Amino acid sequence: MKYLCLVYAEEASLHSLPDSPEDDECQAYADSLAESGRMLGAEPLESVSSAVTVRVRDGKTSVTDGPFAETKEQLTGFYLVDARDLNEAIRIAEGIPPARVGSIEVRPVRELQTEKPR
Amino acid sequence: MQISRHIEALYRDESRRVLATLIRLLGDFDLAEEALQDAFTAAVTQWPKEGIPDNPRAWLVSAGRFKAIDRLRRRARFDASLEELALRFEQATEMPDLDLSVEDDRLRLIFTCCHPALSEQARVALTLREVCDLTTEEIASAFLTPTPTVAQRIVRAKAKIRDAGIPYRVPEKSELAERLDSVLQVIYLVFNEGYFPSSGDAPTRADLSGEALRLGRLLLSLLPEPEVAGLLALMLLTEARRAARTDDAGDPVLLDDQDRALWDRSLIAEGESLVERALRSRRFGPYSLQAAIAAVHAEAARPEDTDWEQIVGLYDVLLRAAPSPVIALNRAVAVAMRDGPEAGLTLIDGLLAGGGLDGYYLARAARADLCRRAGRIEEARAAYRAALAMCQQGAQRAFLEKRLAALDVESRAP
């Protein structure tokens, strides 16, 4: 079985609570999972303010700022892609078939700010 | 003395071109802005001694680039990762062919500032700041927004360009139409805020419309697409009516009541030739069609000479190209002019029932005017009151009040 674990947190306080995780801790956990052979892929994301939403209706692509999935829409899958820049990421997103009926949120992956080089 | 005046003129004419190229070379808006200031500071101290260089723009780009490397070096003492960046800029020694690429850089800057991944407000603020060189204070006062709010929008927009990987390039052919829409939308928004302010008491703000016209001309010179010509034509034909659009007291005057002798004929002529150019291309869109409608109005010496048949026909095409309740409303008003107020009222009441015009005061005002012309005075009064309840803008409110008061005179007349 494959499982996708989704990380939900309040962005505003994620890095400032007494028990907030440090990037080094996240990196160490990811490394240990990778060593155990159980990790297929994991990435932290940039702030939600860097998000764009892509929809395709009647063959026309619309790009809007922000994560604007409708509240009745649920997460139904994900793609982790490597694109040259946001324009290419948007072109990939508009090709994802559910873009025609739902919406694809595009979020840049963040680099962990670790002390040790990876 | 003369050199300093020369540098001032150069800043006015060339600083946006130099900035656009520096952003490409340095890949960072803030670094490029600092480099631009450094380059001009260097010019002020060096040129009086060494003379004006043969190619001042190339000199400024080169100076800015080296100053940016210096800045990165100084910062690298605190952040080692910047050393690598400084080294990379330094090693990229071959200077790009400036005169060939510089116009592309301005276009890159426009497309990046107007990227649809940025909010509309952010696009407007960033474009006015980076492309038009308005200060944050000027943008804030033009949009009646607190300066810190505008400053925040610009900072966040730059952060998003960096973090989300918004590229600094002109879109490829396959994505050009959609991206161009986003640019045209920003320019038209700036123009409209200058022509029909959404708040405040001034009836028009010529400064913002002027910026939008400058942007439109710049974009057309860089990218001669039909819809760019269409938008510029639309703005010119609208701008041509500015002097007639308000009376001596500063209150708005309806198109029918305007003194057409006050219309600016040279702006109209320029607008008309651009409309023709756009329509001939057969690749025109909503802006060209709206410009064509404005051109039909401009051709009529008196309101009663207006070719409403042609205007309704253009609205039919426009409604198919860009369906929207507001365009349908304008079409209904044109139909009323051609076929009489009752015909227009039937259409407007259908649109209002559809719900797409909820909260749009101009729909109520249009209904009020058609009721008045149809002799349905009580209904007209109710519709003006409904319009007033939705309208916040000082000059527009005063106008509606005046129309409402005029109804009493009309209903008392024999």
Side-chain angles (χ1 to χ4, degrees), chain B residues 260-281:
Chain B
R260 297 185 177 214
L262 293 175
W263 288 2
D264 187 323
R265 288 288 141 193
S266 72
L267 291 183
I268 289 174
E270 190 187 352
E272 281 174 339
S273 86
L274 285 167
V275 175
E276 281 165 24
R277 175 173 149 188
L279 295 183
R280 263 199 316 271
S281 76

Side-chain angles (χ1 to χ4, degrees), chain B residues 195-238:
Chain B
Y195 202 78
F196 313 99
S198 55
S199 54
D201 292 330
T204 67
R205 307 187 58 96
D207 43 353
L208 275 183
S209 298
E211 284 307 330
L213 285 171
R214 261 193 292 282
L215 264 174
R217 289 183 202 279
L218 171 67
L219 186 61
L220 186 63
S221 71
L222 297 173
L223 189 72
E225 281 288 304
E227 269 295 81
V228 181
L231 172 63
L232 181 55
L234 175 60
M235 294 192 297
L236 288 166
L237 289 163
T238 312

